[in-house]
Amino acid sequence: MFTKGPSVATRVVLLAILSLGLMVVDHRYSYLETTRAWLSLLVTPVQWMANVPASLWQGVSDAIKTRGDLEQENSSLRTENMVLERRLQKLAALTAENVRLRELLNSSALLDDRVLVAELIGVDPDPYRHQVVVNKGSRDGVFVGQPVLDAEGLFGQVIEVSPLMSRVLLISDNSHSLPVKVNRNGVRAIASGTGQLDELILRHVPNTAEIVEGDLLISSGLGQRFPSGYPVGTVVSVVHDPGRPFAFVKVRPSARLNRSSHLLLVFTERPHPVVSGTPPKEPVDE
């Protein structure tokens, strides 16, 4: 007959006693260091194999996470770059506008008359009419016939006024003329628009008149429309034709007629009682 072996409980108790004994011996003495080293060497491949799936999963997860993070970071950087570029463009525009305003303020500081700064808000689409719209009107004291300047010189005059805005006729319009004189010697003439923003002509200038290329023309004050002394333009060519009684004189306007965005409305006299929308009379020489 077979004898029955020790029970499971007995085995567990024996193993526990053996484990405690080994732990005490290992803690108090150095007998098991060599055995523990060999056992660790034998168990290492098993531990490595058991850790392979977790390592692979962690690597894949890190790669996916890193790619996602990089894509998100790139998207964020692109957005930030676009915002910074927009701010840079706005800064450039503000810097240019600041320069223009400084030029305008420096120009107004040289004037004895009271001035009002206005902003250009519209341009007449008709290529045969040189007119612009500014954001100042009758409630700001603007009146028909009022002189308009930019930072460089005479720009035009107000021809129509509403409460919130006004229409300005440029000196280059082919219907506009104004009396001028040569700053160097006082010779008088009439400067008329040609329909080109970069060119005026002098009318009825005798061949004997002392006007040469490079002369600065200023408003003469005759006609009681524009006050005297404002720069109008510079003579760029003088052609004398022996067969004609008058010289052909071309003038480049001092004002930046196609670029100025801020203008000066000059108050030199009290407003005339002119009905809004009625164009002022043409100025005449003496």
Side-chain angles (χ1 to χ4, degrees):
M1 296 180 62
F2 295 100
T3 58
K4 188 176 180 181
S7 64
V8 175
T10 304
R11 292 176 182 177
V12 170
V13 172
L14 291 175
L15 289 175
I17 294 172
L18 178 63
S19 298
L20 289 174
L22 291 174
M23 292 172 62
V24 172
V25 172
D26 184 48
H27 180 70
R28 298 289 299 273
Y29 307 101
S30 302
Y31 301 142
L32 299 179
E33 287 184 359
T34 303
T35 304
R36 187 171 61 251
W38 283 101
L39 289 176
S40 298
L41 182 62
L42 294 175
V43 173
T44 297
V46 178
Q47 292 177 338
W48 182 84
M49 291 296 296
N51 196 42
V52 166
S55 299
L56 291 176
W57 173 252
Q58 184 66 34
V60 173
S61 178
D62 290 343
I64 295 175
K65 183 178 180 181
T66 301
R67 180 179 178 84
D69 291 343
L70 288 176
E71 291 179 351
Q72 183 177 1
E73 184 178 358
N74 286 339
S75 177
S76 177
L77 289 175
R78 283 195 298 268
T79 302
E80 184 178 357
N81 187 48
M82 292 177 63
V83 171
L84 292 176
E85 287 180 351
R86 182 191 65 81
R87 290 180 178 176
L88 183 61
Q89 293 173 3
K90 186 66 175 177
L91 179 61
L94 290 176
T95 301
E97 183 177 354
N98 186 39
V99 171
R100 292 193 296 268
L101 288 175
R102 286 180 179 274
E103 292 176 350
L104 198 62
L105 291 176
N106 290 337
S107 177
S108 65
L110 301 177
L111 304 177
D112 295 329
D113 304 310
R114 184 169 64 91
V115 295
L116 174 67
V117 178
E119 184 177 357
L120 191 149
I121 59 174
V123 178
D124 197 312
D126 188 344
Y128 299 102
R129 292 198 305 176
H130 291 188
Q131 299 180 14
V132 298
V133 179
V134 297
N135 65 341
K136 301 296 181 183
S138 57
R139 72 173 188 176
D140 302 294
V142 180
F143 56 91
V144 172
Q146 185 171 14
V148 181
L149 288 80
D150 71 354
E152 305 295 333
L154 198 57
F155 191 89
Q157 61 177 302
V158 176
I159 60 171
E160 185 178 339
V161 179
S162 66
L164 299 178
M165 60 187 66
S166 302
R167 185 173 293 271
V168 177
L169 181 70
L170 276 61
I171 61 174
S172 59
D173 190 273
N174 54 20
S175 66
H176 191 277
S177 297
L178 74 151
V180 297
K181 66 180 180 181
V182 179
N183 189 51
R184 176 173 55 87
N185 54 21
V187 173
R188 294 190 296 271
I190 299 295
S192 300
T194 62
Q196 300 181 34
L197 292 171
D198 60 349
E199 183 179 291
L200 306 176
I201 60 172
L202 296 186
R203 296 186 182 277
H204 308 136
V205 176
N207 276 319
T208 57
E210 190 183 351
I211 299 179
V212 298
E213 182 178 341
D215 277 340
L216 173 65
L217 302 178
I218 60 175
S219 56
S220 66
L222 301 177
Q224 298 182 353
R225 176 66 64 184
F226 297 98
S228 62
Y230 292 128
V232 175
T234 303
V235 176
V236 294
S237 69
V238 180
V239 178
H240 296 282
D241 188 348
R244 296 183 179 181
F246 302 110
F248 185 70
V249 183
K250 289 185 178 181
V251 178
R252 182 178 63 251
S254 297
R256 297 175 292 186
L257 302 178
N258 61 339
R259 289 178 292 173
S260 294
S261 57
H262 291 84
L263 305 173
L264 289 175
L265 301 172
V266 184
F267 294 87
T268 59
E269 57 183 350
R270 299 184 62 182
H272 300 290
V274 182
V275 179
S276 176
T278 304
K281 296 181 180 180
E282 291 291 333
V284 295
D285 205 347
E286 41 178 358

Short mmCIF file of all heavy atoms in Angstrom, two decimals, residues 118-139:
data_model
loop_
_atom_site.label_atom_id
_atom_site.label_comp_id
_atom_site.label_asym_id
_atom_site.label_seq_id
_atom_site.Cartn_x
_atom_site.Cartn_y
_atom_site.Cartn_z
N ALA A 118 -6.86 115.88 -42.20
CA ALA A 118 -7.92 115.04 -42.74
C ALA A 118 -7.30 113.81 -43.40
O ALA A 118 -6.16 113.85 -43.86
CB ALA A 118 -8.78 115.82 -43.74
N GLU A 119 -8.08 112.74 -43.44
CA GLU A 119 -7.62 111.50 -44.06
C GLU A 119 -8.37 111.26 -45.36
O GLU A 119 -9.58 111.43 -45.43
CB GLU A 119 -7.84 110.33 -43.11
CG GLU A 119 -7.29 109.01 -43.64
CD GLU A 119 -7.46 107.88 -42.65
OE1 GLU A 119 -7.96 108.13 -41.54
OE2 GLU A 119 -7.10 106.73 -43.00
N LEU A 120 -7.63 110.86 -46.38
CA LEU A 120 -8.24 110.55 -47.67
C LEU A 120 -8.97 109.22 -47.56
O LEU A 120 -8.37 108.21 -47.18
CB LEU A 120 -7.16 110.50 -48.75
CG LEU A 120 -7.63 110.44 -50.21
CD1 LEU A 120 -6.60 111.13 -51.10
CD2 LEU A 120 -7.80 109.00 -50.66
N ILE A 121 -10.26 109.22 -47.90
CA ILE A 121 -11.06 107.99 -47.76
C ILE A 121 -11.65 107.52 -49.07
O ILE A 121 -12.30 106.46 -49.11
CB ILE A 121 -12.20 108.20 -46.74
CG1 ILE A 121 -13.12 109.35 -47.16
CG2 ILE A 121 -11.64 108.44 -45.35
CD1 ILE A 121 -14.34 109.51 -46.26
N GLY A 122 -11.46 108.26 -50.15
CA GLY A 122 -12.02 107.84 -51.42
C GLY A 122 -11.37 108.59 -52.58
O GLY A 122 -10.91 109.71 -52.44
N VAL A 123 -11.33 107.91 -53.74
CA VAL A 123 -10.78 108.49 -54.96
C VAL A 123 -11.81 108.34 -56.06
O VAL A 123 -12.42 107.27 -56.21
CB VAL A 123 -9.46 107.80 -55.37
CG1 VAL A 123 -8.92 108.37 -56.66
CG2 VAL A 123 -8.43 107.93 -54.26
N ASP A 124 -12.04 109.39 -56.85
CA ASP A 124 -12.99 109.33 -57.96
C ASP A 124 -12.51 108.32 -58.99
O ASP A 124 -11.37 108.41 -59.47
CB ASP A 124 -13.13 110.72 -58.60
CG ASP A 124 -14.37 110.82 -59.46
OD1 ASP A 124 -14.61 109.91 -60.27
OD2 ASP A 124 -15.12 111.81 -59.31
N PRO A 125 -13.33 107.33 -59.36
CA PRO A 125 -12.90 106.31 -60.32
C PRO A 125 -12.79 106.81 -61.74
O PRO A 125 -12.18 106.15 -62.59
CB PRO A 125 -13.98 105.23 -60.19
CG PRO A 125 -15.20 105.97 -59.75
CD PRO A 125 -14.70 107.08 -58.86
N ASP A 126 -13.38 107.97 -62.04
CA ASP A 126 -13.31 108.52 -63.39
C ASP A 126 -11.89 109.00 -63.67
O ASP A 126 -11.39 109.92 -63.01
CB ASP A 126 -14.30 109.68 -63.52
CG ASP A 126 -14.42 110.18 -64.96
OD1 ASP A 126 -13.55 109.84 -65.79
OD2 ASP A 126 -15.39 110.90 -65.26
N PRO A 127 -11.19 108.41 -64.67
CA PRO A 127 -9.79 108.81 -64.93
C PRO A 127 -9.67 110.24 -65.44
O PRO A 127 -8.56 110.80 -65.44
CB PRO A 127 -9.32 107.80 -65.98
CG PRO A 127 -10.57 107.34 -66.66
CD PRO A 127 -11.64 107.36 -65.60
N TYR A 128 -10.77 110.85 -65.88
CA TYR A 128 -10.72 112.21 -66.40
C TYR A 128 -11.07 113.25 -65.35
O TYR A 128 -11.11 114.44 -65.64
CB TYR A 128 -11.66 112.35 -67.60
CG TYR A 128 -11.31 111.42 -68.74
CD1 TYR A 128 -12.04 110.25 -68.96
CD2 TYR A 128 -10.24 111.70 -69.58
CE1 TYR A 128 -11.71 109.40 -70.00
CE2 TYR A 128 -9.90 110.84 -70.62
CZ TYR A 128 -10.64 109.70 -70.82
OH TYR A 128 -10.30 108.84 -71.84
N ARG A 129 -11.34 112.80 -64.13
CA ARG A 129 -11.61 113.74 -63.04
C ARG A 129 -10.67 113.42 -61.89
O ARG A 129 -10.65 112.30 -61.37
CB ARG A 129 -13.07 113.62 -62.55
CG ARG A 129 -14.09 114.10 -63.55
CD ARG A 129 -15.43 114.37 -62.87
NE ARG A 129 -15.92 113.21 -62.13
CZ ARG A 129 -17.04 113.22 -61.39
NH1 ARG A 129 -17.74 114.34 -61.28
NH2 ARG A 129 -17.43 112.13 -60.77
N HIS A 130 -9.88 114.40 -61.50
CA HIS A 130 -8.95 114.22 -60.40
C HIS A 130 -9.57 114.79 -59.14
O HIS A 130 -9.39 115.96 -58.80
CB HIS A 130 -7.61 114.90 -60.71
CG HIS A 130 -6.85 114.23 -61.81
ND1 HIS A 130 -5.56 114.57 -62.15
CD2 HIS A 130 -7.19 113.22 -62.65
CE1 HIS A 130 -5.14 113.80 -63.14
NE2 HIS A 130 -6.12 112.98 -63.46
N GLN A 131 -10.33 113.94 -58.45
CA GLN A 131 -11.01 114.35 -57.22
C GLN A 131 -10.85 113.25 -56.18
O GLN A 131 -10.80 112.06 -56.52
CB GLN A 131 -12.50 114.61 -57.48
CG GLN A 131 -12.77 115.72 -58.48
CD GLN A 131 -14.24 115.93 -58.72
OE1 GLN A 131 -15.09 115.44 -57.96
NE2 GLN A 131 -14.58 116.68 -59.77
N VAL A 132 -10.80 113.67 -54.92
CA VAL A 132 -10.72 112.73 -53.81
C VAL A 132 -11.73 113.15 -52.75
O VAL A 132 -12.23 114.28 -52.76
CB VAL A 132 -9.30 112.66 -53.21
CG1 VAL A 132 -8.30 112.18 -54.24
CG2 VAL A 132 -8.88 114.01 -52.65
N VAL A 133 -11.98 112.23 -51.82
CA VAL A 133 -12.91 112.49 -50.72
C VAL A 133 -12.14 112.37 -49.41
O VAL A 133 -11.37 111.41 -49.22
CB VAL A 133 -14.10 111.51 -50.74
CG1 VAL A 133 -15.04 111.78 -49.57
CG2 VAL A 133 -14.86 111.61 -52.07
N VAL A 134 -12.34 113.32 -48.50
CA VAL A 134 -11.68 113.31 -47.20
C VAL A 134 -12.74 113.18 -46.11
O VAL A 134 -13.93 113.44 -46.33
CB VAL A 134 -10.83 114.57 -46.97
CG1 VAL A 134 -9.71 114.63 -47.99
CG2 VAL A 134 -11.69 115.83 -47.04
N ASN A 135 -12.29 112.79 -44.91
CA ASN A 135 -13.22 112.45 -43.83
C ASN A 135 -13.55 113.64 -42.92
O ASN A 135 -13.86 113.45 -41.74
CB ASN A 135 -12.64 111.31 -42.98
CG ASN A 135 -11.36 111.71 -42.26
OD1 ASN A 135 -10.72 112.69 -42.64
ND2 ASN A 135 -11.00 110.97 -41.23
N LYS A 136 -13.49 114.84 -43.44
CA LYS A 136 -13.89 116.02 -42.68
C LYS A 136 -14.95 116.78 -43.47
O LYS A 136 -14.87 116.86 -44.70
CB LYS A 136 -12.69 116.93 -42.40
CG LYS A 136 -11.56 116.26 -41.62
CD LYS A 136 -12.00 115.86 -40.22
CE LYS A 136 -10.83 115.21 -39.47
NZ LYS A 136 -11.23 114.75 -38.12
N GLY A 137 -15.94 117.33 -42.73
CA GLY A 137 -17.03 118.01 -43.40
C GLY A 137 -17.41 119.31 -42.72
O GLY A 137 -16.64 119.89 -41.95
N SER A 138 -18.65 119.72 -42.98
CA SER A 138 -19.10 121.02 -42.48
C SER A 138 -19.14 121.07 -40.96
O SER A 138 -18.94 122.13 -40.37
CB SER A 138 -20.49 121.33 -43.05
OG SER A 138 -21.41 120.29 -42.71
N ARG A 139 -19.36 119.95 -40.31
CA ARG A 139 -19.39 119.97 -38.85
C ARG A 139 -17.99 120.22 -38.27
O ARG A 139 -17.86 120.55 -37.10
CB ARG A 139 -19.96 118.66 -38.30
CG ARG A 139 -19.06 117.46 -38.44
CD ARG A 139 -19.64 116.27 -37.70
NE ARG A 139 -18.69 115.16 -37.66
CZ ARG A 139 -18.92 114.02 -37.00
NH1 ARG A 139 -20.04 113.85 -36.35
NH2 ARG A 139 -18.02 113.06 -37.01
#
